[in-house]
Amino acid sequence: MSERCRLCGRLAARLEGDYCSARCRELAGSYASPSHAAAALAAPATACQATLLVTGPLPPALPAGCAPIGRTGARQLLRLGADGWDDLDAAIEEIAGACGEDAVEVFTLQHFAGGGLAPATPLREATA
Ligand SMILES: [Zn+2]
């Protein structure tokens, strides 16, 4: 009867110490799932959400609805939620004001409706 490798899940006729191969045993010893801040995994609780990439130190006080969720290279990722685009814009500007315009890059902008992401229709009129 075949058993499954504890790392890759492959059915193997013969396992050595729960693993199908020396490679899987070696990887199992060194691999750890990446850990995420709880705020990174929380379901969206606001209609609008942004993810920001921030270079350099974060401001001591972050706007409401804003939480650090991780880092990539030298940059920190912030998750930012607001009930509308105007509030979200204001919070992004607050962070950009504290960190410097060049230090803040908007990585994602999302709009949620009941049940998930809002349909991809134009959300705001362009103002020229
Ligand atoms: Zn395996």
Short mmCIF file of all heavy atoms in Angstrom, two decimals, residues 4-10 15 18-21 23-25, ligand 1:
data_model
loop_
_atom_site.label_atom_id
_atom_site.label_comp_id
_atom_site.label_asym_id
_atom_site.label_seq_id
_atom_site.Cartn_x
_atom_site.Cartn_y
_atom_site.Cartn_z
N ARG A 4 1.63 8.64 1.37
CA ARG A 4 1.96 9.95 0.82
C ARG A 4 3.16 10.57 1.54
O ARG A 4 3.27 10.51 2.75
CB ARG A 4 0.77 10.91 0.95
CG ARG A 4 -0.34 10.55 -0.01
CD ARG A 4 -1.39 11.62 -0.07
NE ARG A 4 -2.46 11.23 -0.98
CZ ARG A 4 -2.42 11.38 -2.30
NH1 ARG A 4 -1.37 11.94 -2.86
NH2 ARG A 4 -3.43 11.00 -3.05
N CYS A 5 4.01 11.20 0.73
CA CYS A 5 5.16 11.95 1.27
C CYS A 5 4.63 13.13 2.09
O CYS A 5 3.70 13.83 1.67
CB CYS A 5 6.01 12.46 0.12
SG CYS A 5 7.31 13.60 0.61
N ARG A 6 5.20 13.35 3.24
CA ARG A 6 4.71 14.43 4.10
C ARG A 6 4.99 15.81 3.54
O ARG A 6 4.37 16.78 3.92
CB ARG A 6 5.37 14.33 5.49
CG ARG A 6 4.52 13.54 6.48
CD ARG A 6 5.13 13.52 7.84
NE ARG A 6 5.25 14.87 8.41
CZ ARG A 6 5.91 15.12 9.53
NH1 ARG A 6 6.51 14.15 10.17
NH2 ARG A 6 5.96 16.33 10.00
N LEU A 7 5.95 15.92 2.63
CA LEU A 7 6.25 17.24 2.08
C LEU A 7 5.50 17.48 0.77
O LEU A 7 4.74 18.43 0.65
CB LEU A 7 7.75 17.43 1.86
CG LEU A 7 8.09 18.84 1.40
CD1 LEU A 7 8.05 19.81 2.57
CD2 LEU A 7 9.42 18.91 0.70
N CYS A 8 5.71 16.62 -0.23
CA CYS A 8 5.16 16.91 -1.56
C CYS A 8 3.83 16.21 -1.79
O CYS A 8 3.13 16.53 -2.75
CB CYS A 8 6.16 16.52 -2.64
SG CYS A 8 6.41 14.74 -2.81
N GLY A 9 3.46 15.28 -0.95
CA GLY A 9 2.17 14.61 -1.09
C GLY A 9 2.17 13.51 -2.13
O GLY A 9 1.14 12.88 -2.36
N ARG A 10 3.31 13.25 -2.75
CA ARG A 10 3.39 12.21 -3.77
C ARG A 10 3.18 10.84 -3.14
O ARG A 10 3.68 10.56 -2.05
CB ARG A 10 4.78 12.27 -4.42
CG ARG A 10 4.94 11.41 -5.65
CD ARG A 10 6.23 11.78 -6.36
NE ARG A 10 7.41 11.24 -5.70
CZ ARG A 10 7.92 10.03 -5.97
NH1 ARG A 10 7.37 9.24 -6.86
NH2 ARG A 10 9.01 9.61 -5.35
N LEU A 15 8.34 4.88 1.66
CA LEU A 15 8.79 6.16 2.23
C LEU A 15 9.95 5.90 3.17
O LEU A 15 10.00 4.88 3.84
CB LEU A 15 7.66 6.84 3.01
CG LEU A 15 6.43 7.28 2.23
CD1 LEU A 15 5.43 7.92 3.18
CD2 LEU A 15 6.80 8.27 1.13
N ASP A 18 8.89 9.08 6.43
CA ASP A 18 7.75 9.92 6.03
C ASP A 18 7.98 10.69 4.73
O ASP A 18 7.08 11.38 4.27
CB ASP A 18 7.39 10.95 7.12
CG ASP A 18 6.86 10.28 8.38
OD1 ASP A 18 6.35 9.14 8.26
OD2 ASP A 18 6.97 10.88 9.45
N TYR A 19 9.15 10.61 4.11
CA TYR A 19 9.40 11.38 2.89
C TYR A 19 9.74 10.46 1.74
O TYR A 19 10.32 9.39 1.93
CB TYR A 19 10.53 12.40 3.12
CG TYR A 19 10.19 13.35 4.26
CD1 TYR A 19 10.80 13.22 5.50
CD2 TYR A 19 9.23 14.33 4.08
CE1 TYR A 19 10.46 14.07 6.55
CE2 TYR A 19 8.89 15.18 5.13
CZ TYR A 19 9.51 15.04 6.36
OH TYR A 19 9.15 15.88 7.38
N CYS A 20 9.42 10.94 0.52
CA CYS A 20 9.60 10.09 -0.66
C CYS A 20 11.05 10.09 -1.12
O CYS A 20 11.46 9.19 -1.85
CB CYS A 20 8.67 10.55 -1.78
SG CYS A 20 9.13 12.14 -2.50
N SER A 21 11.79 11.11 -0.76
CA SER A 21 13.15 11.21 -1.27
C SER A 21 14.02 11.98 -0.28
O SER A 21 13.51 12.67 0.61
CB SER A 21 13.15 11.96 -2.61
OG SER A 21 12.68 13.28 -2.40
N ARG A 23 15.64 14.53 -1.07
CA ARG A 23 15.38 15.95 -1.36
C ARG A 23 14.21 16.47 -0.51
O ARG A 23 14.28 17.54 0.07
CB ARG A 23 15.07 16.09 -2.86
CG ARG A 23 14.72 17.48 -3.30
CD ARG A 23 15.96 18.31 -3.51
NE ARG A 23 15.61 19.65 -3.95
CZ ARG A 23 16.16 20.75 -3.45
NH1 ARG A 23 17.05 20.67 -2.49
NH2 ARG A 23 15.81 21.93 -3.90
N CYS A 24 13.13 15.71 -0.45
CA CYS A 24 11.97 16.14 0.34
C CYS A 24 12.32 16.18 1.82
O CYS A 24 11.89 17.09 2.53
CB CYS A 24 10.78 15.23 0.10
SG CYS A 24 9.86 15.66 -1.40
N ARG A 25 13.07 15.23 2.28
CA ARG A 25 13.44 15.23 3.70
C ARG A 25 14.28 16.47 4.02
O ARG A 25 14.09 17.13 5.03
CB ARG A 25 14.21 13.95 4.07
CG ARG A 25 14.45 13.84 5.56
CD ARG A 25 15.09 12.53 6.01
NE ARG A 25 14.86 11.40 5.15
CZ ARG A 25 15.77 10.88 4.32
NH1 ARG A 25 16.95 11.38 4.24
NH2 ARG A 25 15.49 9.86 3.57
ZN ZN B 1 8.22 14.03 -1.48
#
